[in-house]
Amino acid sequence: MKLLDNLLWLCKIPSPSGEERLLADELDQRLAALPLASSLRRYGNSLVAPLSRGSGGPRVLLVGQLDVANPGQRGGARVENNRVLGAGAAEKSGLCLMLDLAERRPPVRADITLVFHARGECGFDGSELRLVMAKDAELRDADFALVLKPTDNKLQLGSGGSTHATLAFAGRTAHSGLPGAGVNAIHKFARVLSHLAAFEPVPDVVDGLTWYETMSATSAHGGRAGSVVPDQLEVNVHHTFGPSTDSHTSQERLMALVDRVGAVRFEELSEPAPPNRSHALIAALEQSGVQGVEARQSWTEVAGFAALRIPAANFGPGAERTMHAQNEVTEIAELERAQTILDRWLASMK
């Protein structure tokens, strides 16, 4: 089956974030040999392939990232029990659908452009997608973008917002046998930690879909030696939230959490995106056989497109629960189903 062969081929070429050049080169060669609607364009290690033009229909981008977060066991993926397993097996399933469309050319009623971009695991600011969108004026005129992420063939709408912050707590060293002579930076964090441990997810319902606000400590670094009262502690806190919150409000909540006990340094601010559930192309995709509709809890490139005023959604055959694992998974049946869903959607456009 050509679809399966393409996924195995993509997984065979290692592409950790920042090391996508080999995969970009190989895709460049394959796409350049195809009869595209206009010339293939390359920006760094990202590729723009115009697939169809002059349809009179909407201008649609199909977008996939070249990189994987966890390279796992190098040497490609394998087939076991009707599943593809291995590094990239889920994350590259969207690339597989894009390559399949370019080579198979099913009937479409839209002007389709494929966008293969590098550094997708680096957020919109660190991704080459931002560079591509800035340099390629045609892409900025798109009517819609479908971001091909692992979603178990569900249509995931919108994008959760995300703030990463470093909470810094300062103290004063002393011998730990005489703790009163110093100020324990780790103990200053105790009150903040109690609030984090007690934080219950807060629902945010938009267009009938539910996001959840969460707040979690994800790493901590501090202390000097076993007999020294620590004079410093830094804790990373990840705050996620739905479309009803913005990054400014997120920053205010993290500042209130610390409440002058420590300092807050914001490392990464990612705005959420609305679901746009009433958009005609989203409604058409919902009716094309997807396995359900739900909120996209984590940040994706959909939010980057929202900032450019381009409606977008998430969809793909990979098993979402296996993203970033050593052995990602895509069921072969789901890969075939995704192909059918995309064909039906593209043929339905007006």
Side-chain angles (χ1 to χ4, degrees):
M1 184 180 96
K2 188 63 180 293
L3 198 59
L4 175 58
D5 291 341
N6 279 344
L7 180 54
L8 293 172
W9 177 78
L10 288 161
C11 292
K12 186 177 180 180
I13 305 170
S15 57
S17 296
E19 301 177 31
E20 301 94 340
R21 182 174 178 177
L22 178 58
L23 180 53
D25 288 346
E26 294 289 337
L27 275 171
D28 198 333
Q29 290 185 29
R30 285 187 68 164
L31 292 168
L34 300 175
L36 301 177
S38 60
S39 60
L40 181 67
R41 307 190 289 271
R42 181 162 179 167
Y43 304 93
N45 290 321
S46 300
L47 300 165
V48 175
L51 206 58
S52 60
R53 291 293 183 271
S55 69
R59 295 160 294 186
V60 176
L61 309 180
L62 298 183
V63 183
Q65 70 181 60
L66 299 182
D67 56 318
V68 296
N70 185 350
Q73 300 282 336
R74 299 217 177 198
R78 63 193 185 278
V79 177
E80 285 184 12
N81 299 321
N82 297 314
R83 302 183 300 169
V84 182
L85 294 88
E91 293 187 79
K92 291 184 177 180
S93 60
L95 299 180
C96 175
L97 293 175
M98 293 165 66
L99 182 58
D100 171 70
L101 282 172
E103 294 182 333
R104 190 169 49 88
R105 293 303 181 88
V108 299
R109 295 183 178 179
D111 287 357
I112 304 298
T113 303
L114 308 180
V115 182
F116 302 83
H117 69 93
R119 298 181 62 81
E121 294 296 334
C122 302
F124 193 66
D125 287 344
S127 170
E128 275 197 356
L129 180 59
R130 183 177 183 178
L131 169 71
V132 172
M133 296 302 295
K135 289 193 170 184
D136 200 309
E138 184 187 46
L139 299 185
R140 296 195 298 275
D141 289 332
D143 297 310
F144 188 79
L146 185 63
V147 178
L148 290 159
K149 293 280 190 185
T151 70
D152 300 283
N153 278 336
K154 296 175 184 176
L155 176 57
Q156 293 186 342
L157 300 184
S159 173
S162 172
T163 299
H164 283 278
T166 297
L167 313 187
F169 302 88
R172 186 175 67 251
T173 59
H175 194 289
S176 57
L178 300 168
V183 177
N184 194 309
I186 294 176
H187 291 181
K188 289 177 74 173
F189 174 57
R191 181 180 61 78
V192 177
L193 180 61
S194 68
H195 285 301
L196 287 172
F199 193 95
E200 294 288 339
V202 180
D204 177 17
V205 181
V206 181
D207 279 356
L209 304 173
T210 304
W211 281 260
Y212 291 93
E213 179 183 0
T214 67
M215 199 176 288
S216 304
T218 56
S219 65
H221 308 278
R224 293 182 178 273
S227 59
V228 179
V229 171
D231 63 339
Q232 51 84 29
L233 174 69
E234 289 194 341
V235 180
N236 180 266
V237 171
H238 187 201
H239 182 213
T240 67
F241 44 92
S244 298
T245 302
D246 59 22
S247 62
H248 178 72
T249 303
S250 173
Q251 291 175 75
E252 289 182 335
R253 289 177 183 171
L254 286 164
M255 293 288 288
L257 175 71
V258 173
D259 191 24
R260 297 185 296 278
V261 175
V264 182
R265 184 173 70 249
F266 295 104
E267 309 289 355
E268 182 182 308
L269 302 170
S270 300
E271 296 286 357
N276 291 315
R277 193 168 187 177
S278 61
H279 191 282
L281 292 179
I282 288 177
L285 186 52
E286 185 172 351
Q287 296 166 11
S288 295
V290 297
Q291 301 298 295
V293 182
E294 62 186 20
R296 178 71 182 200
Q297 300 296 328
S298 58
W299 186 93
T300 76
E301 292 88 341
V302 164
F305 284 111
L308 297 171
R309 301 185 183 279
I310 300 173
N314 309 279
F315 170 78
E320 184 182 12
R321 70 188 183 281
T322 69
M323 287 176 62
H324 299 181
Q326 277 199 334
N327 269 322
E328 296 180 13
V329 175
T330 292
E331 302 280 348
I332 295 174
E334 293 302 322
L335 190 62
E336 295 171 339
R337 183 175 288 116
Q339 182 189 59
T340 300
I341 292 168
L342 272 185
D343 284 357
R344 189 178 295 141
W345 180 58
L346 293 172
S348 73
M349 295 179 184
K350 300 178 181 178

